[in-house]
Amino acid sequence: MSGGYEAQLTTEMLSIVNGLVFDGVGPEPVECPIHTKGGRIVGLEGAPPEAARVLDARGRVVTPGLIDAHLHAYLVSVDFTENEALPMSYVSAKAARRLEAALRRGFTTVRDVAGGDIGLRMAIDEGLIDGPRYLFTGPGLSQTGGHADPRPGHLAVEVLGHHAGEIVDGVDDLRRAVRERFRTGSHAIKIFTSGGVASPTDPLRSLQYSAQEVRAVCDEASRRDSYVAAHAYSPEAIIHSVTNGVRTIEHGNLITEQAAALMAEHGAYLVPTLIAYDAMGRRGTALGLPAVSDAKNREVLDAGLSSIDIARRAGVRIGLGTDLVGDLEDEQLIEFRIRCEVDTVTDVLRSATSVNAAILQRPDLGVIREGAAADLLVLNGNPFERADVLWSPERLVIRSGRLVDP
């Protein structure tokens, strides 16, 4: 991050001693100290400098700060139509609280795919919001009647607030929309290439955007040294996305071996979001999830765990996201419990750290090594012995070398 926040860190020093350190890459934690200065890791051996604040992590495991690669700060309601019609002043206030809560859970970086804007990032950089490093795509791009079109089919209503999505059809208009997003600070571009749970009129497996439209978006992103993330559930949508230049597949619950093999061949990443469906299945109806969305949610929920196994066997690199909307955001850490049903603790932690950092194209994040950002998480125990330590809320969070107030 940049601006006033980082400027305050030039002389601050913190050393963490006596803990086991998982560096985000290796197979298991090893014992070593971590010395930080000015928001960066400056050493992994020797005694703490005299001027350093010392944190004793005996009996605990230290990991890189977690990265949520699929978060929505502006999706503050489970009803997609309502969400897009809420006043932006209210949505922004809720977004600030959501980001502050994510940081306190240990997510020191988030990627907002379908939402966010430069103003929210400025507020974090200037310390107006105590939040994680914030990378955003701006509103996701949807075809008319696609996943980010919130208009019910039986009502003649205008397109609403563009908090999470914008309806853009045709190659020329899509190129213009992508260029505008990069002009205003977007990290990457989000498109919707299949139907989804929350949208009112599109079938879950529908194929969205033409090949020419997807290629145009990917071409514009590549010329900015960026990439495109695609919301895609069905194997047809995954194949359609990847063969036309998409770099990350979001969700991918209905993936097949053929689609996974193609992803691996193209070097595409998968970002599963299993907690979103689990939480909506348990709590969605009570929070106002429409019946049509509840029915679609059940289909992708049942397929979620098997998608991880299919992708990993094909050699696809797998990140981690949560995609929680509305009041479901308090279940962010439960993604780790669900993922541990099919993955090892090492693989889950890699997904949330170094793999997500690779997705973000940020080699300074998601790892513990000299020169990396001093974003760290001190867990209250050893998850390699007891996996539930990963989703226990008891932890210490360090962002840019500074302890975050619990």
Side-chain angles (χ1 to χ4, degrees), residues 197-200 289-297:
V197 170
S199 41
L289 185 71
V292 64
S293 295
D294 182 59
K296 289 192 284 186
N297 184 67

Side-chain angles (χ1 to χ4, degrees), residues 14-19 53-60 378 396:
L14 174 70
S15 289
I16 304 174
V17 299
N18 298 323
R53 177 179 181 181
V54 179
L55 177 62
D56 190 335
R58 192 180 305 275
R60 302 183 180 192
V378 183
L396 296 174

Side-chain angles (χ1 to χ4, degrees), residues 74 85-95 116-117 120 161-163:
Y74 286 163
L86 288 167
M88 193 60 200
S89 53
Y90 174 78
V91 172
S92 296
K94 292 276 283 189
D117 55 44
L120 199 52
H162 306 312
H163 302 332

Side-chain angles (χ1 to χ4, degrees), residues 10 13 51 62 70 72 81 104 165 181 185 192 224 233 250 268 308 322 366 379:
T10 54
M13 302 173 70
V62 185
H70 195 117
H72 298 298
T81 305
R104 282 159 179 75
R181 277 156 178 72
F192 299 95
R224 288 294 295 254
Y233 283 116
E250 311 298 309
I308 305 293
T322 58
L379 295 167

Side-chain angles (χ1 to χ4, degrees), residues 19 40 66 107 120 142 145 158 173 181 210 221 248 267 272 281 303 318-319 345 370 372:
R40 294 278 160 182
L66 305 175
F107 291 94
L120 199 52
S142 171
E158 296 298 321
D173 285 345
R181 277 156 178 72
S210 68
T248 75
I318 304 174
V345 166
E370 288 189 28

Side-chain angles (χ1 to χ4, degrees), residues 74-77 79-91 148-152 157-165:
Y74 286 163
L75 278 175
V76 300
S77 171
D79 186 318
F80 205 36
T81 305
E82 178 188 52
N83 190 85
E84 290 297 290
L86 288 167
M88 193 60 200
S89 53
Y90 174 78
V91 172
D149 187 340
R151 299 171 297 172
V157 295
E158 296 298 321
V159 176
L160 302 170
H162 306 312
H163 302 332

Side-chain angles (χ1 to χ4, degrees), residues 9 14 34 46 52 74 144 161 170 173 240 293-294 312 319 338 361 379:
L9 300 174
L14 174 70
I34 303 172
Y74 286 163
T144 296
D173 285 345
H240 174 61
S293 295
D294 182 59
R312 199 168 291 288
I338 298 174
Q361 302 174 320
L379 295 167

